[in-house]
Amino acid sequence: MSATAAVSAPPRRSSLMRYFRHPGFLIGTILLAAMLVIAVAAPWIAPWSPLDTDLANTLAAPSGQHLLGTDQYGRDVLSRLIWGTRISLQVAVAVMALSLTLGMVIGAVAGFFGGWVERITVSIIDILLAFPGFLLALALVAARGSSLESVIVAVALAYTPRVAAVMRAVVLTIKPRTYVEASRAIGMGNLRLLFLHVVPNSLPPVIVVATIGAATAILAEAGLSFLGLGVQPPAPTWGNVIADGQSFLASNPMISLSAGLCIALMVVALNLLGDGLRDTLDPQMRRSSGKLL
Amino acid sequence: MSQTQSRFQTASGAADGQPPALELVDASRVFTRRGGLFRKAGTPVRAVDGVSLAIHPGETLGLVGESGSGKSTLGRLALRLVDPSSGRLLVDGRDVTEVPKAAMQAMRRDIQMVFQDPYGSLDPRVTIGQSIAEPLKVHGLWDPKGGPHKVAGVMSLVGLDPSHADRYPHQFSGGQRQRIGIARALTLDPKILVLDEPVSALDVSIQAQIINLLQRIQRERGLSYLFIAHDLAVVRHVSHRIAVMYLGTVVELAARDTLYRRPLHPYTVSLLSAVPIADLRMRKRRRTSVTMGEIGSATNVPSGCRFHPRCYRARLVAAGGDVPTERSGDALLPRACLMEQPALRPCGDQTGTGAGDQVACHFPETPETRSEVAAAVLQDIGYPPIRPISPQSV
Amino acid sequence: MANPNPHPGLSVAPPPPVAPVPVPRPVALELRDLTTVFPGDDGPITVIDGISLAVRAGGTLAVVGESGSGKSMTFLSALGLVASPGRVQRGEVRIGGADVLGQTPEQLRRLRGAVVSMIFQDPLTALNPVFTIGEQIVEVLRAHGHFSRAAARTRAVELLARVQIPDPARRIDDYPHQLSGGQRQRVLIAMAIALSPKVLIADEPTTALDVTVQAQILDLLAELQADTGMALVLITHDLGLVARYADDVAVMYAGRLVEVGSIEEVFSDPRHPYTRALFRSIPRLDGPVDEELPAIEGQPPNVARLPPGCAFEPRCTLGRGRADCCTKRPLPLAGDRSGHRSACFHADRLDQMEAAQ
């Protein structure tokens, strides 16, 4: 009685390659990698200091010396944008990490344990979700004073309920799976079950949400900075550059436009990445393409 | 094996004084859906209602019934995967009903479960080696030296190649995954396995492999099985005794050999009449089938005997005219069936293999009172009508 | 919620209309050399390979096989329902004599439901939960026919009565979740027979149902068939159902036909080792109990990696290791249903070979 002979599947194919076959994922990754390189290498590749003013040369048109021209204080716009990449990426990564951690814990606990914990958490999440996230962040920054940390904390807190809501919904679909019951049957405790089986299987959709959340964070940072509530000038952020350029939109449109383009590129890159992750991680997709293998 | 069998089929079921490996005493489980702000509380569902059963060491107790009969809930009660609403649960004679969750760990080592769905019961992100090792780790019994050896041991016991331990569940076929599930249940050397429809999701050609495997393991390790299934032919092949469940209650509990040759409860007769038989004889003959609609709902249990709305025998008895009757809808039924819930009581010939057979019916189909319906059904399934049972009839 | 049958009790079901046909009835559905492939990493994977089958009007053909044997795929292919990226590579599907494979998707759509209809295993997911069962039956009638809304509704009540739903005039406004599993399958049957199709394909119609309900559903199908003379294709893994309801049997293994014949031929004298082993491996109500079941060893093969010879060779106690079985592919079964055919090289010597073992 040995049925061991034929195990009916090949060894796992490189799963990384599967991701890169998705064009959105590929483009998003390339764009983000480029921005990461720019952010890290900013001190070396920026032609000028982002803070040095040159009052003799304000609002210069693009030229060989200043590829994107200068602003009203004579600062090099390109250099400010290059340094701005750093702040935007910092915001994106920090917000993603913070809201992911908080949201996952809250959502997982609510979904897994149920009962009054769930009912209270869900009520709070619903109320927070009904509240525009940007307004929430605005209020938080107003209360804490404006700084890079304030912006990160504010946007992360505003985004946490979204992650928590998704996490809870996913955990609810994992909880009734037979392997969860099977783990209980071998005597596994709740915490171990939650962290060994439920959370790992809930990650894919939550990561997608967090990626798209990072894009939202960059927009929110730009918006807050533009309103003067974000990172304070003269620090070079994309939001500040847009704010600086807004008075000169007619005469020197390059200032605001180029910063806007940077934001748009980053957001598109993150969204493409999110789409790619969703398509590749979605078990439904995988099942249909791998049905016969 | 026949010796072990006869030992369990004595009236008390424990002739040698050993306590049952697992015993449920008057166990019930009621599910209620809590009401909320905008939601009415649900009607309570009596999934299991006052069931008493004992499984003896080395014995297989088959548990059959339609979906909705409560057989799966009963299996989960045995592991305390769901807690009983009332009643008691005894393992090896020890009452574990009140044992707090934390202290259940030790008990869980003795009772393990194999699930129906070989695809869903394994975490897709965990290698099968880790899955099989998990029970040891959970119970603090894992040691880095002996552990892998132990895992390899159970893997070869169930017919898996130990070198496949680092593969993932999706790389295995359904039958192999069910072997993995069985291996996982065996790592802790349990005394009792609850097998919840272990072969119903498998291909026909694989079912026999798994049945043989389970029986071999039972012989080698002296395990007790609670074998939950809806396939009466499979249950007959593996069980020593069989309990038939209907809407949360056990309606018949009998030795394997007598249940199929002398079904006492009209519901058992009805179930037997519905079994498809892979035999051409069945085409050539008219076949008796008992039409009886569908199982009722456990939210709205019929009064008296729960089976009365579907029971052919109650109608036959009422038509016979010897008992007080009453009208229910457009049917004339014995009053007893409508008013009084029958208790499980000894019935039939209580000697030989039939000793200990019990039925919960006001008008059971004993060989002396057997209706023509039951006789025809028995003939259909290959047991010619005999009264009383004669030994040369098989 | 399950409304118990108002008339429970005894019935002696007549045996299903039995085969001896005085005049050969016309072939309602015929498949010739039907082959479907899916793209794979190492070239196309043939999921069904050279299937030739026929079912006559008023007859029941049972198609038996394990999961992955291609029994469902065969009929999805025949109806043009193969999901992309799969495609029918070659073959013919003749319904009433005309080849329908070359037809446009629109022509095929008109054919489905009206001439050939299909019912599936899971009666819950096959019904749309947001519409009443009446609306869904009316939808079928109006999509193909020339029914007014009122006429369609009247017909829907008739159909529900036809499939023995109690109190059809009231139940027609129920939503699927208000019905039991068996009643849902009855509703699906009502939808399938709404336009009096010539062929009804039932894909594991009772696998999700209790055994007590299973008998009722299949008796209903047999009765409808006797009344309307439609051809019935019963896709199943349950040999008990085959014995009771089928006239002809086709046994599939790994996407190929291994044995085709009348029920009497295949059950009393199976000519393929797989069929024989299958019969032996199932527990029977009157079989021996204290011995091991003669199981078929090994696993069903992966159609993407079939052995070069007979697909069953690695599991076959008779042919394992034989030179011809290992290297040569048995010919697929072809042609009409006039004979008992087996795809085994040794079909005529199986008894001797078994005796010699």
Side-chain angles (χ1 to χ4, degrees):
Chain A
M1 177 94 184
S2 97
T4 56
V7 167
S8 55
R12 248 191 177 181
R13 316 172 77 242
S14 161
S15 49
L16 217 59
M17 283 319 291
R18 212 179 59 215
Y19 290 103
F20 286 108
R21 238 180 274 152
H22 189 284
F25 185 87
L26 191 66
I27 296 169
T29 314
I30 291 172
L31 279 175
L32 277 179
M35 292 200 197
L36 191 71
V37 170
I38 291 171
V40 171
W44 298 283
I45 59 170
W48 304 83
S49 155
L51 300 175
D52 281 357
T53 54
D54 179 1
L55 294 175
N57 196 13
T58 60
L59 295 174
S63 66
Q65 230 176 358
H66 298 283
L67 281 176
L68 293 173
T70 59
D71 62 12
Q72 77 266 42
Y73 302 112
R75 294 174 298 201
D76 180 47
V77 173
L78 178 63
S79 303
R80 285 180 70 75
L81 289 180
I82 289 173
W83 282 89
T85 314
R86 272 194 167 190
I87 294 179
S88 290
L89 275 180
Q90 253 175 300
V91 170
V93 169
V95 164
M96 192 159 130
L98 244 137
S99 58
L100 204 58
T101 317
L102 269 175
M104 274 182 40
V105 170
I106 296 172
V109 167
F112 189 71
F113 291 101
W116 60 268
V117 179
E118 181 175 21
R119 267 176 284 161
I120 292 176
T121 321
V122 169
S123 306
I124 296 176
I125 290 175
D126 283 347
I127 292 169
L128 289 177
L129 281 181
F131 213 78
F134 193 76
L135 271 187
L136 197 70
L138 212 62
L140 280 166
V141 171
R144 289 189 81 237
S146 46
S147 67
L148 184 58
E149 291 75 41
S150 291
V151 171
I152 290 172
V153 170
V155 178
L157 285 184
Y159 203 68
T160 298
R162 255 165 246 277
V163 177
V166 171
M167 183 70 184
R168 172 181 160 269
V170 179
V171 166
L172 285 181
T173 66
I174 303 284
K175 212 166 80 164
R177 304 253 169 110
T178 317
Y179 59 77
V180 172
E181 194 184 24
S183 301
R184 281 192 208 281
I186 61 163
M188 191 178 283
N190 271 334
L191 276 184
R192 199 170 182 142
L193 182 53
L194 183 59
F195 286 107
L196 277 181
H197 294 296
V198 178
V199 170
N201 281 292
S202 313
L203 280 180
V206 178
I207 288 176
V208 173
V209 172
T211 315
I212 292 165
T216 318
I218 285 168
L219 282 175
E221 181 274 325
L224 287 171
S225 298
F226 177 77
L227 293 174
L229 290 166
V231 182
Q232 287 304 294
T237 77
W238 293 345
N240 283 342
V241 175
I242 295 185
D244 290 342
Q246 66 157 331
S247 320
F248 313 101
L249 263 183
S251 52
N252 295 60
M254 220 39 209
I255 304 173
S256 292
L257 272 185
S258 55
L261 193 69
C262 287
I263 295 171
L265 264 181
M266 174 86 97
V267 169
V268 165
L270 281 166
N271 281 331
L272 282 176
L273 191 72
D275 282 354
L277 280 174
R278 189 195 56 220
D279 291 350
T280 324
L281 291 171
D282 188 336
Q284 213 85 43
M285 291 283 295
R286 228 185 310 171
R287 216 175 297 135
S288 67
S289 63
K291 198 191 268 171
L292 295 160
L293 305 178
Chain B
M1 190 146 120
S2 58
Q3 286 154 342
T4 27
Q5 239 170 277
S6 56
R7 195 176 80 215
F8 299 127
Q9 287 166 2
T10 51
S12 69
D16 50 4
Q18 258 184 296
L22 177 75
E23 191 171 6
L24 289 154
V25 183
D26 200 21
S28 296
R29 172 65 201 203
V30 183
F31 290 106
T32 34
R33 206 189 60 197
R34 217 192 323 224
L37 192 52
F38 303 108
R39 203 173 57 185
K40 271 201 292 188
T43 327
V45 178
R46 311 192 68 85
V48 173
D49 198 357
V51 169
S52 298
L53 281 178
I55 305 171
H56 302 292
E59 181 191 38
T60 298
L61 178 68
L63 192 57
V64 297
E66 292 164 276
S67 49
S69 63
K71 56 189 197 301
S72 284
T73 307
L74 190 68
R76 281 161 178 74
L77 277 181
L79 271 89
R80 278 193 58 189
L81 271 179
V82 299
D83 281 319
S85 310
S86 66
R88 289 187 303 134
L89 173 65
L90 287 83
V91 176
D92 255 339
R94 283 172 293 128
D95 192 331
V96 295
T97 326
E98 301 296 326
V99 172
K101 287 257 168 180
M104 288 292 293
Q105 287 283 51
M107 183 207 117
R108 286 251 164 83
R109 263 200 252 166
D110 287 344
I111 310 185
Q112 291 287 306
M113 182 153 176
V114 175
F115 294 83
Q116 168 174 6
D117 174 10
Y119 293 90
S121 57
L122 295 166
D123 185 335
R125 290 170 181 268
V126 175
T127 65
I128 65 152
Q130 287 171 319
S131 264
I132 295 170
E134 206 162 37
L136 292 171
K137 293 181 175 158
V138 165
H139 290 269
L141 300 171
W142 177 258
D143 83 275
K145 270 191 199 154
H149 193 71
K150 170 106 194 165
V151 169
V154 281
M155 282 183 74
S156 24
L157 176 71
V158 301
L160 290 166
D161 184 342
S163 68
H164 294 161
D166 55 356
R167 302 198 174 181
Y168 288 87
H170 75 266
Q171 295 173 274
F172 294 87
S173 69
Q176 288 171 316
R177 287 190 214 192
Q178 200 56 300
R179 288 173 193 269
I180 299 167
I182 293 168
R184 193 170 194 236
L186 289 176
T187 9
L188 292 169
D189 291 318
K191 299 192 178 100
I192 305 158
L193 283 191
V194 175
L195 305 158
D196 187 4
E197 303 259 13
V199 299
S200 355
L202 304 177
D203 273 316
V204 181
S205 82
I206 303 300
Q207 286 191 1
Q209 290 180 4
I210 299 295
I211 290 170
N212 287 345
L213 172 67
L214 287 169
Q215 288 199 299
R216 181 166 58 81
I217 293 169
Q218 182 174 44
R219 278 198 305 276
E220 287 171 7
R221 303 199 158 194
L223 288 173
S224 306
Y225 288 164
L226 177 60
F227 194 102
I228 304 169
H230 66 272
D231 184 328
L232 287 167
V234 168
V235 167
R236 174 173 174 275
H237 192 84
V238 300
S239 307
H240 302 121
R241 285 187 305 142
I242 294 158
V244 182
M245 278 192 83
Y246 188 77
L247 281 183
T249 59
V250 172
V251 294
E252 181 164 1
L253 178 62
R256 183 251 321 271
D257 288 338
T258 46
L259 186 89
Y260 290 84
R261 208 174 302 158
R262 184 192 69 187
L264 294 168
H265 200 284
Y267 179 58
T268 313
V269 174
S270 310
L271 283 179
L272 284 172
S273 86
V275 177
I277 298 168
D279 195 324
L280 282 186
R281 281 180 309 157
M282 294 319 303
R283 284 178 74 74
K284 309 243 163 81
R285 269 216 315 270
R286 298 166 74 81
R287 177 165 184 199
T288 312
S289 63
V290 182
T291 57
M292 54 176 189
E294 295 180 31
I295 192 168
S297 149
T299 50
N300 184 16
V301 171
S303 68
C305 172
R306 294 164 189 220
F307 186 57
H308 82 248
R310 302 172 75 189
C311 184
Y312 68 89
R313 177 133 173 112
R315 284 156 181 79
L316 290 177
V317 169
D322 298 333
V323 294
T325 57
E326 204 156 304
R327 215 149 249 298
S328 162
D330 53 0
L332 188 67
L333 298 172
R335 181 175 299 155
C337 299
L338 282 169
M339 309 301 260
E340 193 188 324
Q341 185 179 349
L344 202 59
R345 61 186 164 90
C347 181
D349 179 18
Q350 292 283 317
T351 59
T353 47
D357 289 2
Q358 290 178 294
V359 68
C361 178
H362 296 297
F363 306 100
E365 295 267 13
T366 62
E368 295 74 33
T369 62
R370 183 172 291 155
S371 67
E372 294 198 352
V373 181
V377 168
L378 287 181
Q379 179 138 33
D380 283 345
I381 64 173
Y383 298 107
I386 32 158
R387 70 170 73 171
I389 296 167
S390 60
Q392 66 269 31
S393 64
V394 179
Chain C
M1 233 165 296
N3 185 16
N5 189 323
H7 305 293
L10 161 76
S11 82
V12 176
V18 183
V21 188
V23 191
R25 284 168 295 185
V27 171
L29 170 69
E30 185 177 5
L31 314 180
R32 284 191 194 161
D33 195 27
L34 193 63
T35 301
T36 297
V37 297
F38 276 72
D41 292 322
D42 315 312
I45 300 166
T46 309
V47 290
I48 57 162
D49 195 350
I51 305 293
S52 299
L53 283 175
V55 52
R56 289 177 187 274
T60 299
L61 169 71
V63 182
V64 188
E66 306 178 66
S67 49
S69 64
K71 55 192 195 298
S72 296
M73 186 55 72
T74 299
F75 291 92
L76 291 175
S77 302
L79 294 187
L81 291 172
V82 180
S84 169
R87 66 188 175 81
V88 176
Q89 192 186 47
R90 61 165 197 270
E92 279 173 42
V93 178
R94 295 186 166 272
I95 295 171
D99 186 8
V100 301
L101 259 196
Q103 294 190 340
T104 64
E106 176 58 22
Q107 284 171 315
L108 272 176
R109 186 190 69 77
R110 293 192 168 281
L111 207 68
R112 289 195 293 265
V115 182
V116 185
S117 61
M118 200 156 176
I119 52 177
F120 296 93
Q121 175 173 345
D122 186 347
L124 184 55
T125 53
L127 286 167
N128 187 336
V130 303
F131 293 108
T132 65
I133 57 172
E135 286 164 344
Q136 298 186 52
I137 300 175
V138 165
E139 179 63 31
V140 172
L141 290 167
R142 285 174 59 87
H144 287 276
H146 317 284
F147 286 91
S148 70
R149 212 153 254 297
R153 192 178 156 90
T154 315
R155 174 93 177 111
V157 174
E158 281 168 26
L159 283 164
L160 287 178
R162 191 73 198 77
V163 296
Q164 295 156 22
I165 297 265
D167 199 1
R170 194 169 58 80
R171 301 310 291 266
I172 190 170
D173 294 318
D174 278 359
Y175 286 90
H177 74 266
Q178 293 171 286
L179 305 177
S180 68
Q183 286 174 328
R184 284 185 206 125
Q185 194 59 282
R186 286 173 193 273
V187 170
L188 287 169
I189 293 173
M191 288 165 70
I193 61 163
L195 298 154
S196 315
K198 300 259 184 304
V199 185
L200 176 61
I201 297 165
D203 188 357
E204 304 260 5
T206 57
T207 306
L209 304 175
D210 274 315
V211 64
T212 51
V213 181
Q214 164 172 293
Q216 299 167 22
I217 295 289
L218 287 164
D219 285 342
L220 170 67
L221 282 176
E223 193 190 311
L224 290 170
Q225 183 188 27
D227 288 358
T228 62
M230 66 183 174
L232 183 63
V233 176
L234 182 64
I235 302 174
T236 182
H237 62 268
D238 190 329
L239 294 170
L241 298 183
V242 176
R244 178 149 173 74
Y245 295 99
D247 303 318
D248 297 294
V249 196
V251 183
M252 289 188 72
Y253 189 79
R256 303 169 186 172
L257 283 172
V258 295
E259 183 161 4
V260 179
S262 74
I263 180 89
E264 287 82 7
E265 289 165 341
V266 174
F267 272 65
S268 54
D269 179 25
R271 296 271 190 84
H272 196 281
Y274 174 65
T275 321
R276 292 183 169 222
L278 207 55
F279 279 123
R280 290 196 191 113
S281 71
I282 50 172
R284 300 168 53 105
L285 274 183
D286 56 354
V289 284
D290 287 333
E291 37 192 86
E292 288 216 329
L293 289 165
I296 304 178
E297 285 179 26
Q299 308 293 326
N302 182 336
V303 286
R305 277 184 301 281
L306 288 181
C310 169
F312 187 59
E313 177 270 326
R315 302 173 77 189
C316 181
T317 52
L318 300 176
R320 193 185 300 143
R322 290 184 80 105
D324 47 357
C325 299
C326 288
T327 52
K328 274 192 293 176
R329 244 200 81 178
L331 286 176
L333 296 165
D336 58 25
R337 46 152 251 167
S338 59
H340 182 188
R341 292 160 176 262
S342 157
C344 178
F345 292 123
H346 309 288
D348 298 328
R349 303 185 273 134
L350 292 176
D351 285 331
Q352 294 94 304
M353 288 168 80
E354 276 178 4
Q357 270 193 338

